Amino acid sequence: MVEEKKWDVIIIGGGPGGYTAALYLSRATLSVLVFAGVKAGGQLMNTTLVENYPGFKDGVMGPDLMMNMEVQAKKFGAEVRYENVTKVEMSGETKKVWVGEKEISAKALIISTGASAKMLGLDEEKLMGKGVSTCAVCDAAFFKEKITVVVGGGDAAMEDALALAKYAGEVYLIHRRDSFKASKVMQERVFGNPKIKVIWNSEVVEVNGEDKLKSIKIKSSGIDAGVDPYTTMSVDGLFLAIGHFPTTELFKSQVDLDEKGFLKTGITNGNAKLWLEGYPTMTSVSGVFGCGDVVDFKYKQAITAAGMGCQAALDAEKYLTGGTSSY
Ligand SMILES: Cc1cc2nc3c(=O)[nH]c(=O)nc-3n(C[C@H](O)[C@H](O)[C@H](O)COP(=O)(O)OP(=O)(O)OC[C@H]3O[C@@H](n4cnc5c(N)ncnc54)[C@H](O)[C@@H]3O)c2cc1C
């Protein structure tokens, strides 16, 4: 079945990136359809108080912020559907998306499908927001004087440990090998911070707690025979910094992705041509733009996703109309 209406822009993703793009484009009087997916609102629907989104001096609950973003985009005419796009065809001038058998088309496409943090696979998701976190920048301030653990060995883990060291009483950095793959400068900062203690050659094998994180069990390798390799540690905060999966499966054969699967745009791949043409958020496919965590392998914040959503919207508007409306 083919939907007759051809939209100006289809946005795939109903998180801060997608809704901000929808707000700008609908306010510029373009017709906008947002596929917010079955996880409409995105990652912030899984958290409680967001204290670092500007404009809310006492913080704002994640779901409230997302509900408001959706309402604000709809106010200017954006249509939001809570369905997952199941197929795309992006190469032609007309961009086509499918939801099951239904085909819908647009003149431009914005991809803002986000990313999800890799987990340990120990059922720790049930304690997300109750001691377990995948974002130290977001949550470190909640752990003043507490005992915290970071898992990982890359730059993100170093950054998380350093962020936590500003607040927490104790920070343990657990890594499964005997050296980090993080950059030297980040490692030096970690080693130079008296609050951070590294636990090498060790893996978290159990995460315990019902309503709140209580303890973790660690298994260490390479220790003397006869010594119990398991240690149980009481902890208040467990921060996972073992990477992210960008949600790009749907697009992977049609658009350039980096080695970790993040969508490449002029902003992230340093493509000077796209900058010169005035489309820094365009992907390798003309008329297809990217924003938010699906592009951003570094910052992964609501405000950066929203900021990039604005950029993608302005680029898409320029692509469709030759200019940008006053804003
Ligand atoms: C627990 C937690 C707490 C956090 N706390 C903070 C915080 O305090 N401050 C902060 O700045 N950041 C925080 N973050 C990070 C922040 O949530 C993300 O950076 C931000 O949500 C990224 O926005 P986004 O629009 O790129 O993608 P997302 O929020 O990930 O949204 C992706 C959207 O894409 C949709 N989608 C995916 N695939 C499809 C498909 N096939 N069809 C249709 N739709 C699809 C999903 O349904 C979803 O609506 C937190 C993250 C987590 C997980």
Side-chain angles (χ1 to χ4, degrees):
M1 190 176 98
V2 182
E3 187 169 290
E4 255 178 48
K5 175 169 178 171
K6 184 174 178 181
W7 297 81
D8 288 324
V9 187
I10 288 177
I11 297 169
I12 310 179
Y19 283 149
T20 304
L23 163 64
Y24 270 75
L25 286 163
S26 53
R27 193 162 170 269
T29 69
L30 295 171
S31 65
V32 179
L33 173 60
V34 181
F35 283 104
V38 293
K39 292 185 178 160
Q43 296 170 59
L44 285 186
M45 299 303 278
N46 302 325
T47 193
T48 51
L49 194 64
V50 177
E51 287 187 314
N52 55 7
Y53 198 87
F56 300 90
K57 67 181 175 53
D58 300 318
V60 56
M61 297 302 275
D64 292 346
L65 178 62
M66 294 320 302
M67 232 99 83
N68 284 340
M69 282 196 198
E70 181 183 332
V71 170
Q72 198 177 356
K74 282 178 173 167
K75 180 176 145 188
F76 294 102
E79 183 171 322
V80 177
R81 296 185 194 166
Y82 309 102
E83 296 168 317
N84 272 6
V85 169
T86 51
K87 190 175 127 188
V88 293
E89 208 178 279
M90 315 192 291
S91 57
E93 207 169 302
T94 296
K95 313 298 171 195
K96 296 178 185 168
V97 309
W98 281 262
V99 174
E101 296 299 310
K102 192 169 175 185
E103 177 187 318
I104 309 108
S105 63
K107 296 176 202 161
L109 187 66
I110 294 181
I111 300 173
S112 187
T113 44
S116 46
K118 289 184 187 166
M119 306 301 286
L120 297 169
L122 302 170
D123 201 22
E124 72 273 21
E125 279 99 326
K126 69 175 196 286
L127 293 171
M128 286 289 284
K130 297 168 183 167
V132 176
S133 171
T134 53
C135 180
V137 176
C138 315
D139 295 336
F142 297 123
F143 290 84
K144 288 196 182 78
E145 300 308 320
K146 303 281 187 195
I147 301 172
T148 58
V149 163
V150 176
V151 181
D155 275 341
M158 306 299 120
E159 275 177 23
D160 282 7
L162 291 163
L164 277 162
K166 291 187 190 135
Y167 303 95
E170 296 170 40
V171 183
Y172 296 91
L173 184 50
I174 297 183
H175 188 45
R176 60 192 165 142
R177 303 188 206 290
D178 61 1
S179 62
F180 291 133
K181 70 172 191 303
S183 59
K184 202 156 175 279
V185 59
M186 292 302 289
Q187 293 194 37
E188 276 165 9
R189 278 184 209 157
V190 161
F191 295 140
N193 191 310
K195 234 189 225 179
I196 304 172
K197 295 184 178 54
V198 181
I199 304 179
W200 299 110
N201 297 315
S202 299
E203 285 181 60
V204 177
V205 291
E206 248 179 48
V207 178
N208 304 309
E210 284 304 318
D211 302 328
K212 192 166 154 285
L213 175 68
K214 287 223 158 46
S215 64
I216 56 172
K217 191 189 253 189
I218 304 163
K219 184 181 180 202
S220 300
S221 57
I223 51 173
D224 294 340
V227 176
D228 185 0
Y230 294 98
T231 320
T232 298
M233 211 177 151
S234 293
V235 292
D236 302 298
L238 173 65
F239 287 78
L240 307 180
I242 51 178
H244 280 77
F245 295 114
T247 314
T248 46
E249 188 63 28
L250 202 57
F251 319 104
K252 70 177 180 195
S253 57
Q254 301 184 41
V255 66
D256 286 356
L257 305 176
D258 73 9
E259 68 284 358
K260 289 189 174 153
F262 286 91
L263 198 62
K264 281 188 180 178
T265 67
I267 289 182
T268 55
N269 67 8
N271 184 335
K273 188 168 164 281
L274 288 176
W275 281 87
L276 287 172
E277 287 169 354
Y279 301 122
T281 61
M282 201 187 276
T283 65
S284 57
V285 181
S286 179
V288 178
F289 302 82
C291 61
D293 282 13
V294 72
V295 172
D296 176 4
F297 51 82
K298 180 163 171 55
Y299 300 104
K300 300 189 201 76
Q301 294 294 292
I303 185 66
T304 48
M308 222 189 280
C310 159
Q311 292 172 312
L314 295 177
D315 289 357
E317 186 188 354
K318 180 175 184 298
Y319 172 80
L320 292 174
T321 67
T324 45
S325 55
S326 53
Y327 35 85

